[in-house]
Amino acid sequence: MERLDKLLTSTGRWSRREVRQLVKEGRVLVDGIPATGPEQKLDPALSRVLVDGEEPDIREFTYVMLHKPPGILSATEDSRQKTVLDLLPPELRRRGLFPVGRLDKDSEGLLLLTNDGALAHRLLSPKRHVDKVYYIRTDRPMGLEDAAAFAAGITLADGTACLPARLELLGDGREALVTLHEGKFHQIKRMTASRKAAVCQLKRLSMGTLVLDETLRPGEFRLLTREEVSKIGGKP
Ligand code: URA
């Protein structure tokens, strides 16, 4: 059971004060009966809420797929720099979304934003080994020896041991796909540096079952479909 005002504000369309006013004016119906107050409790799966005769989208959680462009911080707020939240409209920004895992400022590609903390925790848990696939471009062609080193598990310059990862060479080896099962700070850049090469471009293509929608241009976003939400283990 959830409070009516919590459910309605979670849509991002109204503030708590506005919900109070809507209820007072009798514009909110719960199962056909005017709501008694903003604190009224209901089960959103069982009860039907109408505001001015329309059914608002009161899903418990919001899941957004963003095609992060380079140059933007994967954070919720920053006093000086633009963050991924700044790319969303106010209606979505009000929902308390945060990025699930980070991409470096100069990295791009798939970023999931949600307010489902339990799902974020599951997706990021090292024990779950959720695969993440990245496209990279490097300053020199990578070769089979590099792929073997990635597969064996790279030890970074500071002694940190990485889990085995997959390096799939493309073309002349200056491009590749990397699959990681974990997410350490600057991991791919540092793994590549340990092979005496540098990453020039890094783009995340997928995270578990969630694949970047290539119709989204950098900076664009969309809500996940219900199918995508249930496949990654969220609440559709
Ligand atoms: N590895 C990196 O080095 N940077 C990213 O943004 C993601 C993975």
Side-chain angles (χ1 to χ4, degrees), residues 24-206:
K24 205 165 149 196
E25 290 169 10
R27 292 160 64 187
V28 183
L29 302 185
V30 179
D31 296 325
I33 299 163
T36 51
E39 68 293 334
Q40 184 175 343
K41 293 225 168 170
L42 60 109
D43 181 343
L46 299 176
S47 290
R48 187 152 181 247
V49 178
L50 296 179
V51 178
D52 290 336
E54 280 179 32
E55 199 165 355
D57 188 7
I58 47 173
R59 291 184 213 175
E60 189 176 358
F61 297 118
T62 300
Y63 306 88
V64 173
M65 176 191 294
L66 171 72
H67 186 163
K68 179 193 173 300
I72 307 274
L73 282 189
S74 297
T76 48
E77 54 184 6
D78 190 88
S79 55
R80 271 170 296 167
Q81 300 188 63
K82 207 166 165 184
T83 75
V84 287
L85 262 295
D86 294 321
L87 299 174
L88 304 181
E91 179 192 323
L92 285 176
R93 255 185 275 145
R94 279 203 289 257
R95 298 191 196 188
L97 305 178
F98 55 87
V100 179
R102 280 164 188 261
L103 282 174
D104 296 339
K105 184 176 171 190
D106 57 356
S107 300
E108 56 197 290
L110 174 68
L111 194 66
L112 171 65
L113 294 140
T114 186
N115 45 12
D116 182 347
L119 173 72
H121 184 74
R122 285 199 297 278
L123 287 175
L124 297 176
S125 158
K127 283 192 223 114
R128 306 241 176 180
H129 302 306
V130 174
D131 282 1
K132 278 155 278 189
V133 180
Y134 301 82
Y135 161 87
I136 62 166
R137 230 166 21 82
T138 45
D139 66 341
R140 68 145 175 97
M142 303 287 274
L144 294 176
E145 280 183 17
D146 300 310
F150 272 49
I154 298 255
T155 301
L156 302 176
D158 67 357
T160 307
C162 298
L163 289 175
R166 187 173 146 93
L167 177 71
E168 191 184 330
L169 305 167
L170 303 173
D172 72 352
R174 250 177 257 266
E175 294 176 289
L177 297 179
V178 178
T179 306
L180 294 185
H181 316 293
E182 57 184 342
K184 299 189 195 301
F185 182 63
H186 293 331
Q187 185 164 349
I188 295 181
K189 289 176 188 159
R190 292 197 292 158
M191 285 168 64
T192 307
S194 83
R195 301 298 304 164
K196 308 275 184 287
V199 173
C200 311
Q201 188 189 356
L202 195 156
K203 177 177 179 182
R204 181 153 61 201
L205 303 178
S206 65

Side-chain angles (χ1 to χ4, degrees), residues 5 9 14-24 38:
D5 52 0
T9 51
W14 304 282
S15 65
R16 264 183 195 243
R17 195 164 51 81
E18 287 164 342
V19 169
R20 230 182 296 132
Q21 193 60 27
L22 286 169
V23 170
K24 205 165 149 196

